[in-house]
């Protein structure tokens, strides 16, 4: 807890003392390895961020995000991997719940060492394993973390240079969990049988 408080103070001091840079835009995009699964199968959801109008040495420094689904019970999250070697004192894989992942954050460390991350090219921040749990459709989207303001990352992202950051969280990524082929064949067979019986009654 003390480490988090120290980091928060550091972020606030940086925002106050570093000369403001021009406004920058971070674009978030997401994809899944498989857009269609059977119940019990897994796939990976990837989250990328790009500084679309960035300048040299003003890449991504820190993030604080939620990654949530719009339909409960279709696909759950098994695990999350944070890429980019964020500092252990300023990173947390968040908490996985029924609606998705909340309050995952990272920064400093490898991000501070590589000041150009995400400039002009999407940089993968997170890989989340999904497990299909019931038939249906779900779209996962990102937003600023619940406690992003406490961390001093109001918009969900901080860049190397202090200044306003506009974030476009995009459309997210969709996943369909479909019936097994045998179930579909059984359903079609039942429908054909019912239609055949109706025809016999009419004749």
């Amino acid at each position: 807890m003390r480490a988090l408080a120290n980091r928060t103070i550091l972020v606030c001091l940086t925002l106050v003392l570093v000369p403001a840079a021009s406004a920058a835009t971070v674009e978030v995009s997401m994809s899944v390895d498989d857009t269609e699964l059977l119940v019990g199968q897994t796939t990976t959801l990837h989250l990328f961020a790009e500084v679309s109008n960035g300048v040299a040495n003003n890449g991504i420094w820190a993030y604080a995000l939620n990654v949530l689904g719009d339909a409960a019970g279709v696909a759950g999250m098994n695990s999350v991997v944070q890429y980019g070697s964020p500092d252990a004192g300023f990173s947390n894989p968040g908490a996985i719940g029924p609606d998705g992942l909340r309050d995952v954050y990272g920064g400093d460390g490898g991000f501070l060492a590589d000041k150009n991350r995400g400039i002009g090219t999407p940089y993968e921040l997170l890989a989340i394993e999904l497990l299909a749990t019931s038939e249906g459709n779900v779209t996962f989207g990102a937003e600023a973390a619940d406690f992003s303001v406490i961390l001093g990352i109001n918009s969900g992202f901080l860049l190397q240079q202090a200044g306003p950051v506009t974030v476009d969280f995009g459309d997210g990524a969709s996943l369909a969990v479909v019936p097994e082929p045998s179930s579909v064949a059984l359903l079609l067979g039942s429908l054909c049988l019912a239609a055949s019986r109706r025809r016999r009654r009419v004749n």
Side-chain angles (χ1 to χ4, degrees):
M1 196 63 177
R2 181 178 293 172
L4 178 59
N6 290 341
R7 292 290 178 179
T8 304
I9 291 167
L10 176 63
V11 168
C12 293
L13 285 174
T14 302
L15 291 174
V16 171
L17 298 176
V18 177
S22 58
T25 301
V26 174
E27 295 181 359
V28 176
S29 58
M30 301 171 73
S31 65
V32 286
D33 289 343
D34 306 283
T35 57
E36 193 172 281
L37 295 177
L38 301 175
V39 172
Q41 291 183 325
T42 61
T43 191
T44 302
L45 172 69
H46 304 273
L47 186 146
F48 305 86
E50 177 180 354
V51 185
S52 59
N53 58 344
V55 296
N57 297 316
N58 194 30
I60 298 165
W61 177 28
Y63 61 87
L65 303 169
N66 291 337
V67 182
L68 307 175
D70 65 354
V74 177
M77 294 181 175
N78 282 343
S79 61
V80 58
V81 175
Q82 294 178 269
Y83 291 122
S85 301
D87 185 278
F90 189 63
S91 64
N92 190 292
I96 294 173
D99 59 347
L101 176 67
R102 289 187 179 274
D103 296 322
V104 56
Y105 64 87
D108 213 343
F111 290 85
L112 191 58
D114 179 1
K115 297 180 184 296
N116 290 301
R117 282 189 174 166
I119 296 177
T121 303
Y123 186 85
E124 185 169 7
L125 298 175
L126 304 173
I128 302 167
E129 186 180 76
L130 302 177
L131 170 66
T133 52
S134 65
E135 294 170 21
N137 297 284
V138 59
T139 298
F140 291 95
E143 63 183 28
D146 294 341
F147 59 54
S148 58
V149 174
I150 296 171
L151 292 171
I153 312 177
N154 298 11
S155 66
F157 286 89
L158 285 179
L159 301 185
Q160 300 289 333
Q161 301 169 28
V165 180
T166 300
V167 181
D168 177 358
F169 284 104
D171 298 325
S174 297
L175 173 68
V177 180
V178 299
E180 291 189 36
S182 58
S183 300
V184 173
L186 184 62
L187 177 62
L188 289 175
S190 299
L191 291 173
C192 289
L193 182 60
S196 174
R197 285 179 178 165
R198 280 196 202 105
R199 276 195 219 107
R200 284 183 195 152
R201 284 184 197 142
V202 171
N203 294 334

